Amino acid sequence: MLNADAINQLRQLKTDIEESKVVFPGKVKATNGRFGFVTLDEGRDVFLPPEEMQKVLPGDRVNVSEQEVDKGKTQGVVDELLESPLSTFVGRYLVKGKGHFVVPETPGINRWIFIPPKERMNAQPDDYIYCCIHKHPIKDGKGQAKILRVIGKAGEPGIERALTLATFDLADAWPAPVIEQADSLNEASITACEASREDRTERAYVTIDSPATQDMDDALLAEPNVTGWSLSIAIADPSALIGPESAAEIEAFNRATAIYFPGEPLPMLPDSISTRLCSLMPDMNRLALVCDLQVNNDGSLGDYSFHQAVIRSKAKLSYDLVSNLIEGREDEDIKALPDSVSNSLDQLHQVATALRKWRSEHALLSGDRPEFRLRLDENRRIRAIEPSIQNEAHRLVEECMVAANRCAADFLAKQPSGLFIQHPGLRDDRADNTRALIESYAPHLAEFDPSTADGFREIMKQTSELKAEVPVKTILSRQLARAELAFSAAPHQGMGLSAYTTFTSPLRKYSDLYVHRVIKAALWDTPMTALSEDKLLALQSAQFKARQAANSLETWLKSDFAKTLSEEPMDGVISRTIPAGFFVRLEANGLEGFISCKDLNGKYSFDPVTLRLTHNKNGRIFQLDQAVKVSFSGVDDERRQINFKLVETADIPVAANAGDG
């Protein structure tokens, strides 16, 4: 036995070792395997073996120390849990012998987590469940979960949407204070605001939207004048009915945006506000923030002003009806329009044509990429995918919205602080590749600097019609950075504008609602609470999460629909390339599927400059925008990825130097 002195010496030695050990803070990064990494705050990654990975969860902040293993390699040892941001997750309920577990659907949690008896909520095997971590595994690698809600079983109608909401922690129900606030508002609430506003109820404003749209947030009016047109854009004004610190405003901030899930959207504001009291319904007095602006004959913008007004839309018009009127096709609905509305629509078309011409010459237009509409069946799964045709009426509305938003950006740029959408153009980490691409395939554009707004705009304009061996503009479009919200004005290079913001969708986007508050506070001293930097980051994060959720659900529904495809050859276009293969977008329905290089004969090399895949021996090329024929080969249900097989044809291009050397 050790005597007391020996025991004290051992304790002191252990203390000395602990005090002398160097630990590094970092964030746990999971992989598809059982191992992982800790990305240290200093920038490097430390390997975590499976036994250490069992003690942590993806995203955990931990302190790790390094220990040397064979041949000078090191691995991490988790010393301390600093923070665990993973609060909730979804998974399937599994019973194995006497053990009850959740099999997480969250990427990176590659283990079953035990659910103790008191935390099972009568869940049944194979139920999808919404859980939280009941006991973190940091001490012994044996975590526990607690069921918060049973979501349902695979195959149940709407399970995909319910599971997506739970996965992304999105609320489907309104908090009680929001319901109470919404219920307290009525038509009298609108009447109470009318006296302090301009009365524009006699003017011929109209809304143009899809027939099913109920949250109409813009109405338009145009009249000719000596130098062009007077264009008036009335935007729904929910900020007049909900206060800046109210429950509805707080919930709108938390949601950040309405999410247009297939079949059943998730709104930002309660229906009683967004589709009734604030929607610019026909023949109803509605509150609006109006932008009046002069559009000159050449499409340039002149003076503008903002007004708090009451309007009364004279008609809810569909895109198809307005397009028919523009193209001179008459039907009974067009004949029934009042002359004031018909005249305004004619002027609106002329205004939009001039605005678009100006933008095509001085800014950048986005290409008309084919869009598709998902039609769901009674089980809320896709029964058909139909082309969504963009007509002249869509472009008319787009040009009016862009013009109004440009005016708002110009106004905010003159204020101490605003809210803008900045787009820096090309990603900094792709600068060398971009330069090499231009020097090789568009050398006449090498004098332009793509990192500047003017240079980027000129390069994108001149590559639109460029005939080259590779699709230069498409490649550049794959190198773009993500647009971001900011308090100060800066170029939106993707649109070719010196500054941009949006305020035209306040029923659907919190950032637009906030811009309303900034404009009204500057002009009429109405109350507002300014966003902090932290709040701005939270808002942007919520917007990104909403996009991820919408894409996730759509991908899931499409992957299920793809299982109904035949194995007949289908026409498609290569939409994305990676070293492992390429994605093909079908022309008929927009579905995207993957073709792996492993399924092609031989080995292929990936060029990060041209984004080409080239066969190492025979020179066969696969590149962006290339037409190919494919057939359906299956779905990877874990990734929800559609897989295609290439249908061999004689027109697959070959590199010019194939076989050299």
Side-chain angles (χ1 to χ4, degrees):
M1 289 183 62
L2 296 175
N3 59 31
D5 287 342
I7 291 173
N8 286 335
Q9 288 176 4
L10 287 172
R11 286 174 177 167
Q12 185 60 47
L13 179 61
K14 182 179 179 181
T15 300
D16 291 344
I17 292 173
E18 290 292 330
E19 289 179 351
S20 63
K21 182 166 56 178
V22 179
V23 297
F24 304 92
K27 184 177 180 180
V28 174
K29 183 169 62 176
T31 66
N32 290 329
R34 294 177 58 229
F35 63 90
F37 296 89
V38 175
T39 301
L40 304 183
D41 291 354
E42 65 184 42
R44 62 190 179 95
D45 284 348
V46 174
F47 176 75
L48 277 188
E51 62 270 19
E52 291 299 309
M53 196 64 191
Q54 279 291 108
K55 300 178 185 177
V56 292
L57 299 167
D60 280 355
R61 279 194 57 78
V62 296
N63 276 332
V64 294
S65 58
E66 287 185 277
Q67 64 179 25
E68 190 170 338
V69 291
D70 293 341
K71 298 179 181 179
K73 294 182 180 180
T74 64
Q75 65 183 31
V77 176
V78 178
D79 285 273
E80 181 184 9
L81 176 68
L82 302 176
E83 180 186 3
S84 186
L86 182 68
S87 56
T88 59
F89 63 98
V90 298
R92 280 187 306 106
Y93 193 74
L94 175 70
V95 178
K96 201 74 171 175
K98 294 184 178 180
H100 293 238
F101 304 89
V102 57
V103 182
E105 294 272 316
T106 300
I109 310 182
N110 302 320
R111 71 185 86 166
W112 301 351
I113 302 176
F114 179 71
I115 305 174
K118 292 183 179 180
E119 310 299 345
R120 294 172 184 168
M121 288 191 67
N122 298 317
Q124 301 299 311
D126 290 328
D127 278 346
Y128 282 116
I129 51 178
Y130 180 59
C131 305
C132 68
I133 296 297
H134 186 57
K135 175 192 169 191
H136 196 282
I138 187 67
K139 289 185 178 180
D140 55 10
K142 298 177 181 178
Q144 293 183 3
K146 173 182 180 179
I147 297 179
L148 300 175
R149 185 172 76 250
V150 176
I151 300 170
K153 276 188 166 55
E156 292 179 354
I159 187 65
E160 298 87 356
R161 182 179 185 275
L163 192 59
T164 300
L165 291 175
T167 299
F168 289 91
D169 272 324
L170 298 170
D172 204 11
W174 299 104
V178 176
I179 296 174
E180 183 179 345
Q181 182 180 358
D183 289 346
S184 71
L185 298 171
N186 52 36
E187 294 292 335
S189 307
I190 296 173
T191 304
C193 298
E194 291 182 0
S196 60
R197 292 175 168 249
E198 292 183 30
D199 183 350
R200 297 196 177 189
T201 55
E202 297 302 317
R203 303 189 68 185
Y205 288 99
V206 294
T207 62
I208 305 172
D209 228 313
S210 300
T213 300
Q214 298 300 315
D215 52 346
M216 284 88 73
D217 49 16
D218 58 86
L220 304 174
L221 170 66
E223 297 170 338
N225 56 34
V226 175
T227 58
W229 301 268
S230 173
L231 175 62
S232 186
I233 302 105
I235 306 299
D237 189 7
S239 66
L241 295 185
I242 58 175
E245 299 291 344
S246 67
E249 172 104 355
I250 293 169
E251 184 66 11
F253 172 83
N254 291 335
R255 296 190 177 207
T257 179
I259 307 177
Y260 287 89
F261 289 129
E264 187 179 354
L266 186 71
M268 184 184 79
L269 292 167
D271 282 348
S272 61
I273 296 174
S274 61
T275 67
R276 295 210 311 272
L277 294 175
C278 290
S279 178
L280 303 182
M281 302 162 66
D283 303 319
M284 300 289 289
N285 283 13
R286 287 294 178 259
L287 308 178
L289 179 62
V290 180
C291 177
D292 289 340
L293 63 143
Q294 171 65 29
V295 178
N296 299 319
N297 286 317
D298 63 355
S300 62
L301 303 186
D303 292 339
Y304 62 84
S305 57
F306 293 97
H307 309 264
Q308 295 185 98
V310 184
I311 73 159
R312 192 177 181 90
S313 170
K314 297 300 180 276
K316 177 189 176 186
L317 306 178
S318 70
Y319 289 116
D320 286 345
L321 183 146
V322 174
S323 183
N324 287 341
L325 185 145
I326 290 171
E327 294 171 11
R329 294 196 294 268
E330 289 201 9
D331 59 32
E332 293 305 314
D333 289 334
I334 292 175
K335 292 177 181 178
L337 293 175
D339 289 344
S340 59
V341 169
S342 298
N343 293 338
S344 178
L345 288 172
D346 180 60
Q347 298 302 320
L348 281 168
H349 178 229
Q350 294 183 46
V351 170
T353 301
L355 288 169
R356 196 166 186 83
K357 182 174 184 294
W358 185 93
R359 284 212 297 143
S360 70
E361 294 172 352
H362 301 280
L364 291 174
L365 297 175
S366 58
D368 285 338
R369 175 181 165 176
E371 295 186 9
F372 297 87
R373 183 182 294 112
L374 307 184
R375 299 294 191 189
L376 305 190
D377 60 20
E378 64 276 7
N379 293 316
R380 302 185 194 175
R381 294 185 181 87
I382 299 174
R383 63 172 171 81
I385 302 178
E386 302 170 349
S388 177
I389 307 300
Q390 299 292 301
N391 58 35
E392 280 302 308
H394 288 91
R395 286 184 275 275
L396 182 159
V397 173
E398 177 189 1
E399 291 305 325
C400 292
M401 296 305 106
V402 170
N405 288 328
R406 287 171 58 197
C407 294
D410 183 76
F411 177 80
L412 293 186
K414 300 168 185 173
Q415 308 307 314
S417 179
L419 187 62
F420 300 87
I421 304 173
Q422 299 181 353
H423 187 270
L426 297 166
R427 289 167 49 177
D428 290 339
D429 61 336
R430 303 292 174 87
D432 291 342
N433 289 345
T434 299
R435 195 175 300 110
L437 176 72
I438 292 172
E439 288 174 353
S440 297
Y441 297 97
H444 62 291
L445 302 179
E447 63 182 281
F448 298 108
D449 182 357
S451 66
T452 67
D454 290 341
F456 176 82
R457 182 170 59 246
E458 200 59 36
I459 287 172
M460 296 304 283
K461 285 172 72 69
Q462 292 201 32
T463 53
S464 291
E465 304 298 329
L466 181 67
K467 302 296 183 184
E469 185 182 338
V470 299
V472 177
K473 184 170 183 178
T474 302
I475 296 170
L476 291 174
S477 298
R478 295 298 186 277
Q479 321 283 2
L480 296 180
R482 183 181 295 146
E484 295 183 343
L485 296 174
F487 291 130
S488 57
H492 191 300
Q493 293 193 188
M495 296 183 71
L497 298 172
S498 58
Y500 196 66
T501 191
T502 56
F503 85 111
T504 51
S505 295
L507 302 177
R508 308 172 189 182
K509 291 165 54 183
Y510 182 82
S511 54
D512 290 37
L513 176 59
Y514 181 78
V515 171
H516 275 230
R517 294 216 183 277
V518 177
I519 292 172
K520 292 167 72 174
L523 290 174
W524 302 289
D525 199 28
T526 58
M528 69 165 288
T529 302
L531 291 174
S532 64
E533 288 283 357
D534 287 345
K535 286 279 193 180
L536 185 65
L537 289 174
L539 178 62
Q540 192 148 273
S541 177
Q543 287 181 343
F544 181 62
K545 183 172 73 170
R547 284 195 294 271
Q548 283 183 304
N551 291 339
S552 176
L553 178 56
E554 194 166 303
T555 298
W556 187 351
L557 294 174
K558 286 180 175 179
S559 68
D560 279 348
F561 176 76
K563 296 173 184 177
T564 67
L565 296 174
S566 71
E567 294 187 10
E568 292 298 312
M570 299 172 287
D571 292 325
V573 172
I574 296 178
S575 56
R576 187 155 58 99
T577 56
I578 58 176
F582 54 90
F583 291 85
V584 175
R585 184 174 62 249
L586 299 182
E587 291 184 358
N589 53 28
L591 290 181
E592 286 198 335
F594 183 64
I595 293 180
S596 172
C597 287
K598 294 178 181 178
D599 297 329
L600 303 172
N601 292 326
K603 292 186 177 181
Y604 284 78
S605 297
F606 180 74
D607 182 356
V609 173
T610 62
L611 306 185
R612 270 179 166 182
L613 285 159
T614 306
H615 194 282
N616 290 353
K617 290 186 177 179
N618 63 29
R620 284 211 314 177
I621 292 170
F622 295 103
Q623 66 181 12
L624 295 173
D625 291 351
Q626 181 179 330
V628 291
K629 281 190 179 292
V630 299
S631 62
F632 175 68
S633 68
V635 171
D636 182 336
D637 285 319
E638 187 174 341
R639 296 183 182 179
R640 295 179 183 136
Q641 176 180 284
I642 303 168
N643 292 321
F644 291 147
K645 289 185 295 188
L646 180 71
V647 175
E648 293 290 346
T649 59
D651 55 354
I652 295 175
V654 176
N657 59 352
D660 290 357

